[in-house]
Amino acid sequence: MAAWMLSRGGPGLGTLLRPLCCWADGLIHGMAQPGTWDRFYLQQDAAGTPSHFNWFFDYTAISALLLPALQGGAPPESNSSPMQVLDVGCGTSDLGLGLYRDSHHPLHISCVDVSPVAIRSLRRLLQEVPPPRHSLSQLHLHVADATNLGGRFGDGSFHMVLDKGTCDSLLRCPQGPGQAQRLVAECLRVLRPGGSLWQFSDEDPDARIPFLEQAGGASVTVQEIRHNDGICYYVYKLSRPALETPTDEALGQEGPGGCGGGTSGTLPRGSGGLRDRLY
């Protein structure tokens, strides 16, 4: 079951999975437990020199999608203002490191993972990354629980949050759905107005969209991005509404004798419900 979720740069996937097969079922059922990931990445390190381990696909598969989006979403106030990006549940993925290296616009990327073993390995891999294209770009690695980032990041800290497989790993274990909802809520909390959460997943839209609408209370867009070995992958996007300057009309100011208008807001789309997931 685990094999189709994984993509690895370096040694072949089969070479890595053979020593993991003895506890693969434990991995699937324990994905919501931090200790599971420490054991997972320790096993990975035991296979030899640290190398990137990517869920679903590697950075190159989505770089052509992400880099233009980062450029287009850059802060309008200054061409040199760094865009703040958060990668939740980074593991030893090459996603954050690739964006840091390749972006022509300055980025400040924060990669977080609950496993100190993963962050230690990623720090070693960072030493091999060439200098970033933009001299103001920075990359920071943090040991943190993505379902509870309050002690690390304040409200409205990031322009973009990336989640490649983290929400999926929580949803695919018995105790995970509640934590997956907290993950989405935290990702939206740390977004700035106008910012967006991008979730990369292989879950069908008819299951993922209702979950995200319920967990995030926001509208969801979906884009099919690629097929691998008969599996379709999607990116789901949730945006935090941008701040708008109210107009006189919106405030109900109609001049002398006019009466003030009421307020209105955008209601969440249908909450839907968690579909049964069979994996």
Side-chain angles (χ1 to χ4, degrees), residues 181-250:
Q181 290 180 328
R182 290 193 292 274
L183 169 68
V184 174
E186 274 293 88
C187 290
L188 294 176
R189 179 187 67 79
V190 300
L191 278 176
R192 297 183 179 187
S196 58
L197 163 63
W198 290 38
Q199 277 195 359
F200 296 92
S201 175
D202 65 343
E203 185 170 51
D204 290 339
D206 63 348
R208 181 55 62 93
I209 289 178
F211 164 74
L212 289 174
E213 289 176 339
Q214 181 184 50
S219 60
V220 182
T221 61
V222 58
Q223 178 182 347
E224 183 178 318
I225 53 175
R226 64 184 288 112
H227 286 80
N228 275 354
D229 299 325
I231 300 170
C232 187
Y233 295 97
Y234 307 90
V235 57
Y236 297 92
K237 302 176 189 177
L238 290 79
S239 296
R240 184 170 178 180
L243 294 176
E244 296 182 359
T245 302
T247 63
D248 287 348
E249 181 180 357

Short mmCIF file of all heavy atoms in Angstrom, two decimals, residues 181-250:
data_model
loop_
_atom_site.label_atom_id
_atom_site.label_comp_id
_atom_site.label_asym_id
_atom_site.label_seq_id
_atom_site.Cartn_x
_atom_site.Cartn_y
_atom_site.Cartn_z
N GLN A 181 -7.95 18.00 10.23
CA GLN A 181 -8.74 19.23 10.31
C GLN A 181 -7.97 20.33 11.02
O GLN A 181 -7.99 21.50 10.59
CB GLN A 181 -10.06 18.96 11.03
CG GLN A 181 -11.02 18.09 10.23
CD GLN A 181 -12.31 17.83 10.97
OE1 GLN A 181 -12.34 17.76 12.20
NE2 GLN A 181 -13.39 17.70 10.22
N ARG A 182 -7.26 19.99 12.08
CA ARG A 182 -6.45 20.99 12.78
C ARG A 182 -5.32 21.49 11.90
O ARG A 182 -4.93 22.66 11.97
CB ARG A 182 -5.91 20.40 14.10
CG ARG A 182 -7.00 20.19 15.14
CD ARG A 182 -6.40 19.90 16.52
NE ARG A 182 -5.73 18.61 16.57
CZ ARG A 182 -6.34 17.46 16.83
NH1 ARG A 182 -7.65 17.44 17.04
NH2 ARG A 182 -5.66 16.33 16.90
N LEU A 183 -4.76 20.60 11.10
CA LEU A 183 -3.70 20.99 10.17
C LEU A 183 -4.20 22.06 9.21
O LEU A 183 -3.56 23.10 9.00
CB LEU A 183 -3.21 19.78 9.39
CG LEU A 183 -2.29 20.05 8.20
CD1 LEU A 183 -0.95 20.60 8.67
CD2 LEU A 183 -2.10 18.79 7.36
N VAL A 184 -5.36 21.82 8.60
CA VAL A 184 -5.91 22.79 7.64
C VAL A 184 -6.19 24.12 8.34
O VAL A 184 -5.87 25.19 7.80
CB VAL A 184 -7.20 22.23 7.00
CG1 VAL A 184 -7.86 23.29 6.12
CG2 VAL A 184 -6.88 20.99 6.16
N ALA A 185 -6.76 24.06 9.54
CA ALA A 185 -7.05 25.29 10.27
C ALA A 185 -5.78 26.08 10.57
O ALA A 185 -5.76 27.32 10.46
CB ALA A 185 -7.80 24.96 11.57
N GLU A 186 -4.71 25.39 10.95
CA GLU A 186 -3.45 26.07 11.24
C GLU A 186 -2.86 26.68 9.97
O GLU A 186 -2.33 27.81 10.00
CB GLU A 186 -2.45 25.10 11.86
CG GLU A 186 -2.58 24.95 13.35
CD GLU A 186 -2.21 26.22 14.09
OE1 GLU A 186 -3.10 27.07 14.29
OE2 GLU A 186 -1.03 26.40 14.46
N CYS A 187 -2.92 25.96 8.87
CA CYS A 187 -2.39 26.49 7.60
C CYS A 187 -3.12 27.77 7.21
O CYS A 187 -2.48 28.74 6.75
CB CYS A 187 -2.53 25.44 6.50
SG CYS A 187 -1.43 24.02 6.68
N LEU A 188 -4.43 27.80 7.38
CA LEU A 188 -5.19 28.99 7.04
C LEU A 188 -4.92 30.12 8.05
O LEU A 188 -4.90 31.30 7.67
CB LEU A 188 -6.68 28.67 6.99
CG LEU A 188 -7.11 27.72 5.87
CD1 LEU A 188 -8.59 27.40 5.98
CD2 LEU A 188 -6.79 28.30 4.50
N ARG A 189 -4.71 29.78 9.29
CA ARG A 189 -4.44 30.80 10.30
C ARG A 189 -3.16 31.58 10.00
O ARG A 189 -3.10 32.81 10.18
CB ARG A 189 -4.32 30.16 11.70
CG ARG A 189 -4.02 31.17 12.81
CD ARG A 189 -3.76 30.49 14.14
NE ARG A 189 -2.53 29.70 14.15
CZ ARG A 189 -1.31 30.22 14.30
NH1 ARG A 189 -1.15 31.52 14.41
NH2 ARG A 189 -0.25 29.43 14.31
N VAL A 190 -2.11 30.88 9.56
CA VAL A 190 -0.83 31.55 9.35
C VAL A 190 -0.75 32.24 7.98
O VAL A 190 0.25 32.88 7.68
CB VAL A 190 0.35 30.57 9.51
CG1 VAL A 190 0.38 29.98 10.90
CG2 VAL A 190 0.32 29.46 8.46
N LEU A 191 -1.81 32.12 7.17
CA LEU A 191 -1.83 32.80 5.88
C LEU A 191 -2.17 34.27 6.04
O LEU A 191 -3.02 34.65 6.84
CB LEU A 191 -2.86 32.17 4.94
CG LEU A 191 -2.46 30.92 4.18
CD1 LEU A 191 -3.65 30.39 3.39
CD2 LEU A 191 -1.28 31.18 3.25
N ARG A 192 -1.51 35.10 5.24
CA ARG A 192 -1.87 36.51 5.17
C ARG A 192 -3.14 36.66 4.34
O ARG A 192 -3.47 35.80 3.52
CB ARG A 192 -0.74 37.31 4.52
CG ARG A 192 0.55 37.28 5.31
CD ARG A 192 1.62 38.15 4.67
NE ARG A 192 2.84 38.12 5.45
CZ ARG A 192 3.90 38.89 5.20
NH1 ARG A 192 3.89 39.74 4.20
NH2 ARG A 192 4.97 38.81 5.97
N PRO A 193 -3.89 37.75 4.52
CA PRO A 193 -5.02 38.00 3.64
C PRO A 193 -4.58 37.98 2.17
O PRO A 193 -3.58 38.60 1.80
CB PRO A 193 -5.50 39.40 4.06
CG PRO A 193 -5.08 39.50 5.50
CD PRO A 193 -3.76 38.77 5.58
N GLY A 194 -5.31 37.24 1.36
CA GLY A 194 -4.93 37.08 -0.04
C GLY A 194 -4.01 35.91 -0.29
O GLY A 194 -3.74 35.55 -1.44
N GLY A 195 -3.50 35.28 0.79
CA GLY A 195 -2.61 34.13 0.65
C GLY A 195 -3.39 32.86 0.34
O GLY A 195 -4.62 32.82 0.42
N SER A 196 -2.66 31.79 0.02
CA SER A 196 -3.33 30.56 -0.37
C SER A 196 -2.60 29.33 0.16
O SER A 196 -1.38 29.31 0.29
CB SER A 196 -3.45 30.46 -1.90
OG SER A 196 -2.17 30.52 -2.52
N LEU A 197 -3.39 28.32 0.47
CA LEU A 197 -2.90 26.99 0.84
C LEU A 197 -3.01 26.09 -0.37
O LEU A 197 -4.08 25.99 -0.98
CB LEU A 197 -3.74 26.43 2.00
CG LEU A 197 -3.65 24.92 2.27
CD1 LEU A 197 -2.25 24.52 2.68
CD2 LEU A 197 -4.67 24.52 3.35
N TRP A 198 -1.91 25.42 -0.72
CA TRP A 198 -1.89 24.47 -1.82
C TRP A 198 -1.66 23.07 -1.25
O TRP A 198 -0.63 22.82 -0.64
CB TRP A 198 -0.77 24.78 -2.81
CG TRP A 198 -0.96 26.03 -3.63
CD1 TRP A 198 -1.50 27.22 -3.22
CD2 TRP A 198 -0.59 26.22 -5.00
NE1 TRP A 198 -1.48 28.14 -4.24
CE2 TRP A 198 -0.94 27.55 -5.34
CE3 TRP A 198 0.01 25.40 -5.96
CZ2 TRP A 198 -0.71 28.07 -6.61
CZ3 TRP A 198 0.24 25.93 -7.22
CH2 TRP A 198 -0.12 27.24 -7.54
N GLN A 199 -2.61 22.19 -1.45
CA GLN A 199 -2.48 20.80 -1.04
C GLN A 199 -2.32 19.93 -2.28
O GLN A 199 -3.18 19.94 -3.16
CB GLN A 199 -3.71 20.32 -0.26
CG GLN A 199 -3.71 20.66 1.19
CD GLN A 199 -4.75 19.86 1.97
OE1 GLN A 199 -5.50 19.05 1.41
NE2 GLN A 199 -4.80 20.06 3.26
N PHE A 200 -1.24 19.15 -2.31
CA PHE A 200 -1.02 18.19 -3.39
C PHE A 200 -1.43 16.81 -2.88
O PHE A 200 -1.02 16.37 -1.81
CB PHE A 200 0.45 18.19 -3.82
CG PHE A 200 0.90 19.49 -4.42
CD1 PHE A 200 1.47 20.47 -3.62
CD2 PHE A 200 0.72 19.75 -5.76
CE1 PHE A 200 1.87 21.68 -4.16
CE2 PHE A 200 1.12 20.95 -6.32
CZ PHE A 200 1.70 21.93 -5.52
N SER A 201 -2.26 16.11 -3.66
CA SER A 201 -2.86 14.87 -3.18
C SER A 201 -3.25 13.99 -4.36
O SER A 201 -3.41 14.46 -5.49
CB SER A 201 -4.10 15.18 -2.33
OG SER A 201 -4.77 14.01 -1.95
N ASP A 202 -3.44 12.70 -4.07
CA ASP A 202 -4.00 11.78 -5.06
C ASP A 202 -5.46 11.46 -4.75
O ASP A 202 -6.07 10.64 -5.40
CB ASP A 202 -3.18 10.48 -5.11
CG ASP A 202 -3.25 9.70 -3.82
OD1 ASP A 202 -3.65 10.28 -2.80
OD2 ASP A 202 -2.90 8.50 -3.84
N GLU A 203 -6.03 12.13 -3.73
CA GLU A 203 -7.41 11.83 -3.37
C GLU A 203 -8.38 12.51 -4.33
O GLU A 203 -8.20 13.67 -4.71
CB GLU A 203 -7.70 12.30 -1.94
CG GLU A 203 -9.08 11.89 -1.47
CD GLU A 203 -9.28 12.14 0.01
OE1 GLU A 203 -9.00 13.25 0.48
OE2 GLU A 203 -9.72 11.21 0.70
N ASP A 204 -9.43 11.78 -4.70
CA ASP A 204 -10.41 12.30 -5.65
C ASP A 204 -11.10 13.55 -5.12
O ASP A 204 -11.37 13.66 -3.92
CB ASP A 204 -11.46 11.24 -5.97
CG ASP A 204 -10.89 10.09 -6.80
OD1 ASP A 204 -9.85 10.30 -7.45
OD2 ASP A 204 -11.49 9.00 -6.79
N PRO A 205 -11.44 14.47 -6.01
CA PRO A 205 -12.10 15.72 -5.58
C PRO A 205 -13.42 15.48 -4.84
O PRO A 205 -13.76 16.26 -3.95
CB PRO A 205 -12.33 16.48 -6.89
CG PRO A 205 -11.24 15.99 -7.79
CD PRO A 205 -11.05 14.53 -7.44
N ASP A 206 -14.18 14.43 -5.20
CA ASP A 206 -15.46 14.25 -4.54
C ASP A 206 -15.31 13.87 -3.07
O ASP A 206 -16.26 13.97 -2.29
CB ASP A 206 -16.33 13.21 -5.27
CG ASP A 206 -15.71 11.82 -5.27
OD1 ASP A 206 -14.53 11.69 -4.91
OD2 ASP A 206 -16.42 10.86 -5.64
N ALA A 207 -14.11 13.47 -2.65
CA ALA A 207 -13.84 13.22 -1.24
C ALA A 207 -13.09 14.37 -0.60
O ALA A 207 -13.42 14.81 0.52
CB ALA A 207 -13.04 11.92 -1.06
N ARG A 208 -12.09 14.92 -1.28
CA ARG A 208 -11.24 15.93 -0.66
C ARG A 208 -11.94 17.29 -0.55
O ARG A 208 -11.78 18.00 0.45
CB ARG A 208 -9.93 16.07 -1.44
CG ARG A 208 -8.92 17.10 -0.88
CD ARG A 208 -8.57 16.86 0.59
NE ARG A 208 -7.94 15.59 0.83
CZ ARG A 208 -6.62 15.38 0.86
NH1 ARG A 208 -5.80 16.39 0.67
NH2 ARG A 208 -6.15 14.19 1.11
N ILE A 209 -12.70 17.68 -1.56
CA ILE A 209 -13.32 19.01 -1.52
C ILE A 209 -14.29 19.16 -0.35
O ILE A 209 -14.20 20.15 0.39
CB ILE A 209 -14.00 19.34 -2.88
CG1 ILE A 209 -12.92 19.60 -3.94
CG2 ILE A 209 -14.89 20.57 -2.75
CD1 ILE A 209 -13.45 19.87 -5.32
N PRO A 210 -15.21 18.21 -0.11
CA PRO A 210 -16.08 18.36 1.07
C PRO A 210 -15.30 18.43 2.37
O PRO A 210 -15.66 19.19 3.28
CB PRO A 210 -16.98 17.12 1.01
CG PRO A 210 -16.99 16.73 -0.42
CD PRO A 210 -15.62 17.05 -0.93
N PHE A 211 -14.23 17.64 2.48
CA PHE A 211 -13.42 17.68 3.70
C PHE A 211 -12.80 19.06 3.88
O PHE A 211 -12.84 19.63 4.98
CB PHE A 211 -12.32 16.62 3.65
CG PHE A 211 -11.24 16.85 4.66
CD1 PHE A 211 -11.47 16.59 6.01
CD2 PHE A 211 -10.01 17.35 4.28
CE1 PHE A 211 -10.48 16.83 6.95
CE2 PHE A 211 -9.02 17.59 5.21
CZ PHE A 211 -9.25 17.33 6.56
N LEU A 212 -12.22 19.62 2.82
CA LEU A 212 -11.56 20.91 2.93
C LEU A 212 -12.55 22.03 3.21
O LEU A 212 -12.26 22.97 3.96
CB LEU A 212 -10.76 21.21 1.67
CG LEU A 212 -9.50 20.37 1.46
CD1 LEU A 212 -8.87 20.65 0.10
CD2 LEU A 212 -8.49 20.62 2.58
N GLU A 213 -13.74 21.96 2.61
CA GLU A 213 -14.75 22.96 2.87
C GLU A 213 -15.19 22.92 4.34
O GLU A 213 -15.42 23.96 4.96
CB GLU A 213 -15.95 22.74 1.95
CG GLU A 213 -15.68 23.09 0.50
CD GLU A 213 -16.86 22.79 -0.40
OE1 GLU A 213 -17.72 21.96 -0.02
OE2 GLU A 213 -16.91 23.37 -1.50
N GLN A 214 -15.29 21.73 4.88
CA GLN A 214 -15.68 21.59 6.27
C GLN A 214 -14.56 22.02 7.20
O GLN A 214 -14.78 22.74 8.18
CB GLN A 214 -16.07 20.14 6.56
CG GLN A 214 -16.53 19.91 7.99
CD GLN A 214 -16.82 18.44 8.27
OE1 GLN A 214 -15.99 17.58 7.97
NE2 GLN A 214 -17.99 18.16 8.82
N ALA A 215 -13.34 21.60 6.90
CA ALA A 215 -12.21 21.89 7.79
C ALA A 215 -11.78 23.35 7.70
O ALA A 215 -11.36 23.94 8.70
CB ALA A 215 -11.03 20.98 7.45
N GLY A 216 -11.85 23.93 6.50
CA GLY A 216 -11.31 25.27 6.31
C GLY A 216 -12.35 26.37 6.24
O GLY A 216 -12.01 27.54 6.37
N GLY A 217 -13.62 26.00 6.01
CA GLY A 217 -14.65 27.03 5.90
C GLY A 217 -14.38 28.00 4.77
O GLY A 217 -14.71 29.18 4.85
N ALA A 218 -13.74 27.52 3.71
CA ALA A 218 -13.38 28.39 2.59
C ALA A 218 -13.68 27.67 1.29
O ALA A 218 -13.80 26.45 1.25
CB ALA A 218 -11.89 28.76 2.65
N SER A 219 -13.82 28.45 0.22
CA SER A 219 -14.04 27.85 -1.08
C SER A 219 -12.77 27.16 -1.56
O SER A 219 -11.66 27.54 -1.20
CB SER A 219 -14.47 28.91 -2.10
OG SER A 219 -13.48 29.91 -2.24
N VAL A 220 -12.94 26.12 -2.34
CA VAL A 220 -11.83 25.27 -2.78
C VAL A 220 -11.83 25.21 -4.30
O VAL A 220 -12.88 25.04 -4.92
CB VAL A 220 -11.97 23.85 -2.21
CG1 VAL A 220 -10.78 22.98 -2.62
CG2 VAL A 220 -12.10 23.88 -0.69
N THR A 221 -10.65 25.34 -4.90
CA THR A 221 -10.50 25.07 -6.32
C THR A 221 -9.57 23.87 -6.47
O THR A 221 -8.73 23.60 -5.62
CB THR A 221 -9.92 26.28 -7.08
OG1 THR A 221 -8.62 26.59 -6.56
CG2 THR A 221 -10.82 27.50 -6.92
N VAL A 222 -9.73 23.15 -7.57
CA VAL A 222 -8.93 21.95 -7.79
C VAL A 222 -8.42 21.94 -9.22
O VAL A 222 -9.09 22.40 -10.14
CB VAL A 222 -9.75 20.66 -7.49
CG1 VAL A 222 -11.00 20.60 -8.37
CG2 VAL A 222 -8.90 19.42 -7.66
N GLN A 223 -7.21 21.45 -9.38
CA GLN A 223 -6.59 21.34 -10.70
C GLN A 223 -5.91 19.99 -10.81
O GLN A 223 -5.15 19.59 -9.92
CB GLN A 223 -5.57 22.46 -10.90
CG GLN A 223 -4.83 22.41 -12.23
CD GLN A 223 -3.80 23.52 -12.36
OE1 GLN A 223 -3.80 24.48 -11.58
NE2 GLN A 223 -2.93 23.42 -13.35
N GLU A 224 -6.20 19.27 -11.87
CA GLU A 224 -5.50 18.00 -12.13
C GLU A 224 -4.12 18.34 -12.67
O GLU A 224 -3.98 19.13 -13.60
CB GLU A 224 -6.29 17.17 -13.14
CG GLU A 224 -5.70 15.82 -13.42
CD GLU A 224 -6.56 15.02 -14.40
OE1 GLU A 224 -7.80 15.04 -14.25
OE2 GLU A 224 -5.98 14.40 -15.31
N ILE A 225 -3.08 17.74 -12.09
CA ILE A 225 -1.74 18.17 -12.47
C ILE A 225 -0.92 17.10 -13.18
O ILE A 225 -0.06 17.43 -14.00
CB ILE A 225 -0.95 18.70 -11.25
CG1 ILE A 225 -0.94 17.71 -10.10
CG2 ILE A 225 -1.50 20.03 -10.80
CD1 ILE A 225 -0.07 18.14 -8.93
N ARG A 226 -1.15 15.81 -12.89
CA ARG A 226 -0.34 14.79 -13.56
C ARG A 226 -0.90 13.40 -13.29
O ARG A 226 -1.72 13.20 -12.40
CB ARG A 226 1.13 14.85 -13.13
CG ARG A 226 1.35 14.55 -11.66
CD ARG A 226 2.82 14.72 -11.26
NE ARG A 226 3.68 13.66 -11.77
CZ ARG A 226 4.60 13.85 -12.70
NH1 ARG A 226 4.82 15.03 -13.19
NH2 ARG A 226 5.35 12.84 -13.12
N HIS A 227 -0.40 12.44 -14.11
CA HIS A 227 -0.69 11.03 -13.90
C HIS A 227 0.62 10.27 -13.76
O HIS A 227 1.57 10.51 -14.51
CB HIS A 227 -1.47 10.45 -15.09
CG HIS A 227 -2.90 10.87 -15.15
ND1 HIS A 227 -3.30 12.09 -15.65
CD2 HIS A 227 -4.03 10.22 -14.75
CE1 HIS A 227 -4.62 12.17 -15.58
NE2 HIS A 227 -5.09 11.06 -15.05
N ASN A 228 0.68 9.38 -12.79
CA ASN A 228 1.82 8.48 -12.62
C ASN A 228 1.30 7.07 -12.44
O ASN A 228 0.55 6.81 -11.49
CB ASN A 228 2.66 8.87 -11.39
CG ASN A 228 3.68 9.95 -11.70
OD1 ASN A 228 3.85 10.35 -12.83
ND2 ASN A 228 4.35 10.43 -10.67
N ASP A 229 1.67 6.17 -13.34
CA ASP A 229 1.30 4.77 -13.20
C ASP A 229 -0.19 4.59 -12.96
O ASP A 229 -0.63 3.81 -12.11
CB ASP A 229 2.09 4.11 -12.05
CG ASP A 229 3.59 4.14 -12.30
OD1 ASP A 229 3.99 4.03 -13.47
OD2 ASP A 229 4.35 4.29 -11.33
N GLY A 230 -1.00 5.34 -13.70
CA GLY A 230 -2.44 5.20 -13.59
C GLY A 230 -3.07 5.97 -12.44
O GLY A 230 -4.29 5.90 -12.25
N ILE A 231 -2.27 6.67 -11.63
CA ILE A 231 -2.79 7.44 -10.50
C ILE A 231 -2.84 8.92 -10.89
O ILE A 231 -1.88 9.46 -11.44
CB ILE A 231 -1.90 7.26 -9.26
CG1 ILE A 231 -1.86 5.79 -8.86
CG2 ILE A 231 -2.41 8.11 -8.10
CD1 ILE A 231 -0.82 5.48 -7.81
N CYS A 232 -3.97 9.55 -10.61
CA CYS A 232 -4.14 10.96 -10.92
C CYS A 232 -3.83 11.80 -9.69
O CYS A 232 -4.28 11.48 -8.58
CB CYS A 232 -5.59 11.21 -11.38
SG CYS A 232 -5.85 12.88 -11.98
N TYR A 233 -3.09 12.87 -9.88
CA TYR A 233 -2.72 13.77 -8.79
C TYR A 233 -3.35 15.14 -9.01
O TYR A 233 -3.49 15.60 -10.16
CB TYR A 233 -1.21 13.89 -8.68
CG TYR A 233 -0.54 12.60 -8.31
CD1 TYR A 233 0.02 11.78 -9.28
CD2 TYR A 233 -0.49 12.18 -6.98
CE1 TYR A 233 0.62 10.58 -8.94
CE2 TYR A 233 0.11 10.98 -6.63
CZ TYR A 233 0.67 10.19 -7.62
OH TYR A 233 1.25 9.00 -7.27
N TYR A 234 -3.70 15.78 -7.91
CA TYR A 234 -4.39 17.06 -7.95
C TYR A 234 -3.70 18.06 -7.03
O TYR A 234 -3.00 17.68 -6.08
CB TYR A 234 -5.84 16.90 -7.47
CG TYR A 234 -6.63 15.85 -8.19
CD1 TYR A 234 -6.66 14.53 -7.70
CD2 TYR A 234 -7.38 16.14 -9.33
CE1 TYR A 234 -7.39 13.56 -8.34
CE2 TYR A 234 -8.12 15.17 -9.97
CZ TYR A 234 -8.12 13.87 -9.48
OH TYR A 234 -8.84 12.90 -10.11
N VAL A 235 -3.95 19.35 -7.30
CA VAL A 235 -3.62 20.39 -6.33
C VAL A 235 -4.93 21.06 -5.94
O VAL A 235 -5.72 21.48 -6.79
CB VAL A 235 -2.61 21.40 -6.88
CG1 VAL A 235 -3.06 22.07 -8.16
CG2 VAL A 235 -2.28 22.44 -5.81
N TYR A 236 -5.17 21.10 -4.64
CA TYR A 236 -6.34 21.77 -4.08
C TYR A 236 -5.89 23.09 -3.47
O TYR A 236 -4.92 23.13 -2.71
CB TYR A 236 -6.99 20.89 -3.00
CG TYR A 236 -7.52 19.58 -3.54
CD1 TYR A 236 -6.71 18.44 -3.55
CD2 TYR A 236 -8.80 19.49 -4.05
CE1 TYR A 236 -7.19 17.24 -4.04
CE2 TYR A 236 -9.29 18.28 -4.55
CZ TYR A 236 -8.47 17.17 -4.54
OH TYR A 236 -8.95 15.98 -5.05
N LYS A 237 -6.61 24.17 -3.80
CA LYS A 237 -6.20 25.50 -3.34
C LYS A 237 -7.31 26.14 -2.52
O LYS A 237 -8.48 26.16 -2.93
CB LYS A 237 -5.88 26.41 -4.53
CG LYS A 237 -4.80 25.87 -5.45
CD LYS A 237 -4.60 26.77 -6.66
CE LYS A 237 -3.68 26.14 -7.68
NZ LYS A 237 -3.54 27.00 -8.89
N LEU A 238 -6.93 26.62 -1.33
CA LEU A 238 -7.82 27.39 -0.48
C LEU A 238 -7.19 28.75 -0.28
O LEU A 238 -5.99 28.85 0.04
CB LEU A 238 -8.02 26.74 0.89
CG LEU A 238 -8.81 25.44 0.98
CD1 LEU A 238 -7.96 24.24 0.56
CD2 LEU A 238 -9.34 25.23 2.40
N SER A 239 -7.96 29.80 -0.50
CA SER A 239 -7.43 31.15 -0.39
C SER A 239 -8.07 31.89 0.77
O SER A 239 -9.27 31.74 1.03
CB SER A 239 -7.67 31.94 -1.68
OG SER A 239 -6.96 31.34 -2.76
N ARG A 240 -7.25 32.68 1.46
CA ARG A 240 -7.77 33.55 2.50
C ARG A 240 -8.17 34.87 1.84
O ARG A 240 -7.37 35.46 1.11
CB ARG A 240 -6.71 33.79 3.56
CG ARG A 240 -7.20 34.61 4.74
CD ARG A 240 -6.21 34.62 5.87
NE ARG A 240 -6.70 35.46 6.95
CZ ARG A 240 -6.03 35.67 8.09
NH1 ARG A 240 -4.86 35.08 8.28
NH2 ARG A 240 -6.54 36.43 9.02
N PRO A 241 -9.39 35.34 2.05
CA PRO A 241 -9.85 36.56 1.37
C PRO A 241 -8.91 37.72 1.61
O PRO A 241 -8.40 37.92 2.72
CB PRO A 241 -11.23 36.82 1.98
CG PRO A 241 -11.69 35.47 2.47
CD PRO A 241 -10.44 34.77 2.92
N ALA A 242 -8.70 38.51 0.56
CA ALA A 242 -7.86 39.70 0.67
C ALA A 242 -8.63 40.80 1.39
O ALA A 242 -9.86 40.88 1.32
CB ALA A 242 -7.42 40.18 -0.70
N LEU A 243 -7.89 41.64 2.10
CA LEU A 243 -8.51 42.79 2.74
C LEU A 243 -8.91 43.80 1.68
O LEU A 243 -8.16 44.08 0.75
CB LEU A 243 -7.53 43.44 3.73
CG LEU A 243 -7.16 42.60 4.96
CD1 LEU A 243 -6.11 43.34 5.78
CD2 LEU A 243 -8.39 42.31 5.80
N GLU A 244 -10.11 44.35 1.84
CA GLU A 244 -10.59 45.34 0.89
C GLU A 244 -10.96 46.62 1.64
O GLU A 244 -11.46 46.57 2.77
CB GLU A 244 -11.80 44.82 0.13
CG GLU A 244 -11.50 43.60 -0.74
CD GLU A 244 -12.72 43.13 -1.50
OE1 GLU A 244 -13.78 43.77 -1.31
OE2 GLU A 244 -12.61 42.18 -2.27
N THR A 245 -10.70 47.75 1.00
CA THR A 245 -11.11 49.02 1.57
C THR A 245 -12.58 49.23 1.30
O THR A 245 -13.00 49.24 0.13
CB THR A 245 -10.30 50.18 0.96
OG1 THR A 245 -8.90 49.93 1.18
CG2 THR A 245 -10.71 51.50 1.57
N PRO A 246 -13.41 49.36 2.32
CA PRO A 246 -14.85 49.50 2.08
C PRO A 246 -15.18 50.80 1.37
O PRO A 246 -14.58 51.85 1.61
CB PRO A 246 -15.44 49.48 3.50
CG PRO A 246 -14.33 49.92 4.39
CD PRO A 246 -13.07 49.40 3.75
N THR A 247 -16.14 50.72 0.47
CA THR A 247 -16.61 51.91 -0.25
C THR A 247 -17.74 52.55 0.53
O THR A 247 -18.30 51.98 1.46
CB THR A 247 -17.11 51.52 -1.65
OG1 THR A 247 -18.23 50.63 -1.50
CG2 THR A 247 -16.02 50.78 -2.43
N ASP A 248 -18.09 53.78 0.13
CA ASP A 248 -19.22 54.45 0.78
C ASP A 248 -20.49 53.64 0.65
O ASP A 248 -21.30 53.56 1.57
CB ASP A 248 -19.43 55.85 0.15
CG ASP A 248 -18.34 56.82 0.57
OD1 ASP A 248 -17.58 56.49 1.50
OD2 ASP A 248 -18.26 57.90 -0.03
N GLU A 249 -20.65 53.04 -0.53
CA GLU A 249 -21.85 52.25 -0.75
C GLU A 249 -21.89 51.05 0.18
O GLU A 249 -22.93 50.70 0.75
CB GLU A 249 -21.91 51.79 -2.21
CG GLU A 249 -23.16 50.98 -2.53
CD GLU A 249 -23.19 50.55 -3.98
OE1 GLU A 249 -22.28 50.94 -4.74
OE2 GLU A 249 -24.13 49.82 -4.37
N ALA A 250 -20.71 50.39 0.33
CA ALA A 250 -20.66 49.22 1.19
C ALA A 250 -20.93 49.59 2.63
O ALA A 250 -21.51 48.81 3.40
CB ALA A 250 -19.29 48.54 1.07
#
